[in-house]
Amino acid sequence: FPQIKKSALYKRIFLWKCFIFDIMLRVENVTFAYDEQPVLKNISFTIEKGKHVALIGASGCGKSTLLKLIYGLLHADNGTLFWGDKQLMGPLYNLVPGEENMKYLSQGFELQAYRTVAENIGQYLSNIDQESKQERVDELLDIVEMKELADVKIENLSGGQKQRVALAKALAKKPELLLLDEPFHNIDNFRRSALRRNLFRFLKRNNITSITATHDKTDILSFADETLVIKQGELIAQQPTVQLYQSPKDYYIASLFGEVNEIMLSSLRNTDETTSVLVYPNEIQIDNNSDIKVRVKNAYFNGGHYLIEAVLDNSIIFFNASKEYSAPEMVGIRISDEVIEKRKS
């Protein structure tokens, strides 16, 4: 009897939280394995309506599997998933896999090769009002910048173009939740930035929740309200993206945002402490009056700056510089006390 009362109390507390915070997706203690090989282990999190969430982690950590579980292409071995007050039952209970109010954009595109771009985008739109349908297709063609290719058959497109069509098709019926698996990895760099802006502007305008599995730090830093971090099948962090970037709890998390240095505090201060600090290349300043000297090994041109590879106390570090330095030049560096105190591990 006490357990029943306790369970009922927890349920009321959760429903109250859902009402206050508008929680839409709830994942509770979800576990999944392929052929008894664990992939996800007791994953739990919630996502509020309209939030854009990045899902990051090393290759093979379970990101794509988690998206498939949410959408209903895979069935969880243990745990429960809810969208609002509806439990997501998975393919063992649904005749047609997949949730109607969600769209999952995989890396396989799932387009009809012998139909045109416009026909694929409008495939599931109602034909009752042809004018409204055409307006909707035109809007989506603008978002993915493919208006000039509207009448081209899918079989004649490049991989990146197919990916843009698949994205437009996923948005056609305005899903409540959009699940994206590496949505920009096939798309040319010159078009990727505009496409990101167009997509997330559309999602914000229509209050569509999204989860994006990605390795691209621009997808994370510029557009994700929150970030989930998975390591070896376990969820190790869920935080606002800016907070997670500025105060990563370990090297693994920091490295998912790009280059990061783990520097012993004794290399920066006159101390016997064995503490290390995590420092991004852009947080290291060049100061030739500094007592901290590094020996340059390489310089890599990155457009607006050079990424300098150097040696500090027999360890490799990376930092940004406005000009090129050559090996074996000695350069003075400085890291602010604020960064050091914030990052002590």
Side-chain angles (χ1 to χ4, degrees):
F1 178 70
Q3 289 298 322
I4 295 175
K5 287 183 67 177
K6 186 177 180 182
S7 176
L9 176 62
Y10 283 171
K11 185 173 182 180
R12 286 200 299 272
I13 291 172
F14 173 74
L15 290 174
W16 175 79
K17 286 183 176 178
C18 287
F19 176 76
I20 296 296
F21 297 108
D22 207 8
I23 292 173
M24 290 304 293
L25 181 65
R26 174 164 54 114
V27 176
E28 288 188 343
N29 300 315
V30 165
T31 299
F32 182 82
Y34 290 109
D35 298 326
E36 300 185 0
Q37 178 65 37
V39 177
L40 296 174
K41 309 165 190 175
N42 297 316
I43 300 287
S44 297
F45 62 88
T46 60
I47 294 177
E48 296 174 34
K49 183 176 177 61
K51 291 289 186 181
H52 303 311
V53 176
L55 180 60
I56 64 175
S59 297
C61 70
K63 300 188 298 294
S64 297
T65 298
L66 180 56
L67 294 185
K68 291 175 182 177
L69 282 165
I70 295 170
Y71 185 56
L73 297 180
L74 297 173
H75 190 83
D77 298 329
N78 293 294
T80 55
L81 301 94
F82 287 85
W83 178 250
D85 58 0
K86 177 190 175 184
Q87 185 170 355
L88 307 176
M89 301 304 295
L92 297 186
Y93 294 87
N94 294 327
L95 184 62
V96 179
E99 293 294 327
E100 186 177 0
N101 54 357
M102 302 179 185
K103 286 297 179 184
Y104 168 60
L105 181 60
S106 70
Q107 298 180 40
F109 308 142
E110 298 176 3
L111 302 171
Q112 295 186 327
Y114 300 108
R115 301 186 74 182
T116 68
V117 168
E119 288 170 342
N120 270 273
I121 293 173
Q123 182 178 354
Y124 298 119
L125 295 176
S126 172
N127 290 312
I128 294 175
D129 186 343
Q130 286 292 325
E131 184 175 346
S132 294
K133 178 178 180 178
Q134 188 60 52
E135 288 177 358
R136 186 89 182 97
V137 171
D138 287 343
E139 178 188 15
L140 294 166
L141 286 168
D142 279 338
I143 289 172
V144 296
E145 299 184 344
M146 293 195 70
K147 210 157 191 177
E148 74 283 1
L149 299 174
D151 298 322
V152 176
K153 290 184 178 180
I154 297 297
E155 63 179 340
N156 297 320
L157 299 180
S158 68
Q161 289 169 334
K162 289 176 183 176
Q163 192 163 21
R164 286 151 59 198
V165 177
L167 176 58
K169 184 178 179 180
L171 295 173
K173 295 186 75 172
K174 290 186 181 177
E176 294 178 17
L177 175 62
L178 181 63
L179 303 167
L180 301 168
D181 194 354
E182 298 288 352
F184 309 111
H185 79 290
N186 275 326
I187 296 170
D188 299 331
N189 284 330
F190 79 92
R191 198 178 296 275
R192 190 178 300 164
S193 296
L195 182 56
R196 282 194 192 101
R197 290 192 294 269
N198 291 344
L199 170 62
F200 286 99
R201 190 183 302 121
F202 175 86
L203 297 180
K204 282 285 187 188
R205 188 167 64 242
N206 291 280
N207 202 29
I208 295 171
T209 310
S210 70
I211 305 176
T212 304
T214 182
H215 290 97
D216 190 328
K217 71 175 183 180
T218 306
D219 296 342
I220 308 164
L221 294 175
S222 299
F223 301 103
D225 303 307
E226 290 185 332
T227 297
L228 302 173
V229 184
I230 297 181
K231 182 179 182 181
Q232 296 177 346
E234 296 182 356
L235 182 67
I236 63 170
Q238 178 183 12
Q239 288 181 258
T241 300
V242 174
Q243 180 183 329
L244 185 68
Y245 174 80
Q246 291 178 341
S247 302
K249 69 178 184 180
D250 58 30
Y251 181 87
Y252 175 81
I253 293 175
S255 68
L256 297 173
F257 292 102
E259 296 284 359
V260 64
N261 304 293
E262 187 167 21
I263 304 174
M264 296 302 297
L265 195 56
S266 57
S267 296
L268 304 175
R269 293 175 173 175
N270 185 18
T271 177
D272 293 329
E273 289 185 68
T274 57
T275 305
S276 63
V277 291
L278 298 171
V279 184
Y280 296 113
N282 62 288
E283 294 174 323
I284 299 177
Q285 307 300 316
I286 295 173
D287 180 359
N288 288 320
N289 295 319
S290 171
D291 293 332
I292 305 169
K293 302 293 183 182
V294 298
R295 177 172 53 82
V296 174
K297 283 193 68 178
N298 290 293
Y300 306 97
F301 182 59
N302 277 359
H305 67 272
Y306 287 87
L307 180 67
I308 308 299
E309 180 184 7
V311 179
L312 172 64
D313 288 349
N314 298 316
S315 296
I316 297 295
I317 68 165
F318 293 90
F319 59 92
N320 295 342
S322 59
K323 70 173 188 176
E324 184 176 11
Y325 289 91
S326 302
E329 192 171 353
M330 300 299 293
V331 178
I333 63 167
R334 174 175 51 83
I335 302 170
S336 72
D337 290 338
E338 180 184 359
V339 169
I340 292 173
E341 292 303 319
K342 184 168 58 176
R343 302 281 174 72
K344 278 185 182 180
S345 59

